[in-house]
């Protein structure tokens, strides 16, 4: 097999810090069009490149199939064809299988019960503030056996949703090895990353 060199797309500093770190769980709130989705696209590809093997699953979960399809279409256009073994474009069943056998699957969070069962190596929960908390628990269960990482992204959408609560749960000095940066306005008006090691 030919050798390839992976080069991460150019991201700005806060994107790199928020998404590409050693924490299993990164909770990221950001304003609209601040680069959350693009960063997660780069992140999930990198996970599939370095952790990918035949049949390993990498998930992108959005509130509904139509939102997951947006990420699918962007990734399908962005990955060079020689890195892709196969693509399934059927609505609700979209997936990209890379040449190393890793499968990036795009799923709906409408029914959290449909997310249980699989072993997942990395996941993105997109538009998390628009999903039920059950989705987080289902995804977390799929990552348990693999010790997989998750990036949880969304906009601030009120104070009564699980993303808002999760982002504020962590203290920078938590003795469990959890780290959070509480995104002061002076640091960044668009990104508020929160990290945890669960």
């Amino acid at each position: 097999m030919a050798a390839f060199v992976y080069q991460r797309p150019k991201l700005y500093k806060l994107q790199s810090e928020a998404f590409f770190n050693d924490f299993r769980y990164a909770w990221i709130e950001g304003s609209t069009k601040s680069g959350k989705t693009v960063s997660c696209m780069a992140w999930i590809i990198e996970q599939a490149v370095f952790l990918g093997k035949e049949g390993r699953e990498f998930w992108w979960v959005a509130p509904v199939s139509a939102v997951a399809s947006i990420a699918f279409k962007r990734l399908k256009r962005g990955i060079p064809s020689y890195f892709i073994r196969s693509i399934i474009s059927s609505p609700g069943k979209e997936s990209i299988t890379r040449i190393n056998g890793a499968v990036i699957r795009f799923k709906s969070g409408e029914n959290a019960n449909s997310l249980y069962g699989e072993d997942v190596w990395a996941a993105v929960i997109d538009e998390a503030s628009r999903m039920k908390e059950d989705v987080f628990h289902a995804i977390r269960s799929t990552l348990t056996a693999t010790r997989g990482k998750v990036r949880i992204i969304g906009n601030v959408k009120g104070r009564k949703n699980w993303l808002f609560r999760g982002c504020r749960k962590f203290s920078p000095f938590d003795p469990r090895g959890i780290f959070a940066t509480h995104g002061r306005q002076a640091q960044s008006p668009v990104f508020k990353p929160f990290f945890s090691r669960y």
Side-chain angles (χ1 to χ4, degrees):
M1 178 186 260
F4 294 99
V5 176
Y6 172 80
Q7 183 175 346
R8 181 181 295 162
K10 186 167 176 55
L11 303 170
Y12 61 87
K13 185 176 186 278
L14 194 53
Q15 285 174 307
S16 294
E17 290 171 0
F19 295 91
F20 294 89
N21 55 63
D22 291 332
F23 293 96
R24 279 194 69 210
Y25 291 75
W27 306 67
I28 298 120
E29 288 179 331
S31 61
T32 302
K33 304 302 176 203
S34 60
K36 300 179 303 292
T37 300
V38 168
S39 299
C40 276
M41 288 168 49
W43 181 81
I44 199 77
I45 287 296
E46 191 165 305
Q47 299 303 300
V49 166
F50 292 112
L51 300 175
K53 290 184 179 176
E54 192 65 44
R56 286 189 175 177
E57 296 269 329
F58 299 82
W59 284 6
W60 187 287
V61 182
V64 294
S65 295
V67 175
S69 287
I70 294 168
F72 167 72
K73 289 172 188 169
R74 288 181 184 176
L75 276 173
K76 187 172 78 167
R77 284 192 309 264
I79 302 172
S81 60
Y82 50 84
F83 289 125
I84 297 174
R85 182 187 297 170
S86 66
I87 294 176
I88 297 175
S89 296
S90 300
K93 298 183 186 308
E94 289 103 337
S95 70
I96 299 169
T97 303
R98 297 190 36 84
I99 57 172
N100 63 1
V103 180
I104 304 171
R105 221 172 279 287
F106 300 82
K107 301 179 80 61
S108 165
E110 288 177 286
N111 178 5
N113 288 328
S114 70
L115 300 173
Y116 285 95
E118 189 64 69
D119 287 336
V120 177
W121 289 82
V124 171
I125 302 177
D126 188 9
E127 299 292 353
S129 58
R130 291 165 169 69
M131 281 191 257
K132 293 181 180 173
E133 187 173 353
D134 294 353
V135 171
F136 170 69
H137 297 293
I139 296 301
R140 190 172 173 193
S141 78
T142 67
L143 297 166
T144 301
T146 64
R147 301 286 299 152
K149 295 179 179 182
V150 64
R151 298 299 176 255
I152 306 160
I153 63 173
N155 302 107
V156 178
K157 185 179 175 269
R159 296 173 177 235
K160 295 184 178 179
N161 64 71
W162 65 275
L163 176 65
F164 186 87
R165 287 189 314 273
C167 285
R168 281 145 190 85
K169 179 179 178 180
F170 306 108
S171 159
F173 305 106
D174 192 300
R176 295 174 292 166
I178 295 171
F179 173 76
T181 61
H182 290 281
R184 293 174 190 81
Q185 200 67 9
Q187 288 178 317
S188 170
V190 291
F191 259 163
K192 294 182 182 176
F194 306 83
F195 310 110
S196 63
R197 287 200 193 278
Y198 275 98

